[in-house]
Amino acid sequence: SAAEGPFRFPVRVIDDQRVDHAVVYVNGEKVDWAGDSKRSSLEFTAEVTLDEGVNKIRIVAEDDQGLAFRRLFVVRGEADAAAVDAAE
């Protein structure tokens, strides 16, 4: 659980060759993107807004060969929960 509202979500993608880009979706809506990495890793912090109830945060990353990787996180937003910073 986390407080509904702003939420910092750290993203780190690693590939054996080169990460091309990563996209962050919250409840199906694209909220952040990072790309053009010339390295085998890509790191950034996505600023997302949590709704009250279930929130689905999906990370979709693609490497330089076009291979995609997806990971889904489910976070419950609660109106009376203490604020949480996932980046700490």
Side-chain angles (χ1 to χ4, degrees):
S1 294
E4 65 177 317
F7 185 76
R8 295 178 62 212
F9 194 84
V11 177
R12 185 170 123 194
V13 181
I14 300 171
D15 186 67
D16 63 340
Q17 296 293 318
R18 185 174 66 83
V19 177
D20 185 66
H21 67 274
V23 183
V24 179
Y25 297 89
V26 177
N27 299 324
E29 182 179 329
K30 181 178 173 181
V31 297
D32 210 342
W33 178 92
D36 297 327
S37 174
K38 304 295 183 206
R39 298 172 298 178
S40 61
S41 66
L42 176 65
E43 293 185 44
F44 64 102
T45 300
E47 301 286 334
V48 304
T49 300
L50 298 179
D51 295 331
E52 187 170 356
V54 174
N55 293 269
K56 295 179 181 178
I57 301 173
R58 182 178 305 278
I59 311 298
V60 179
E62 193 170 302
D63 70 6
D64 60 325
Q65 299 174 30
L67 299 173
F69 174 81
R70 292 166 177 80
R71 174 145 302 164
L72 176 68
F73 300 89
V74 178
V75 179
R76 178 175 295 281
E78 296 184 8
D80 58 352
V84 173
D85 185 347
E88 293 182 354

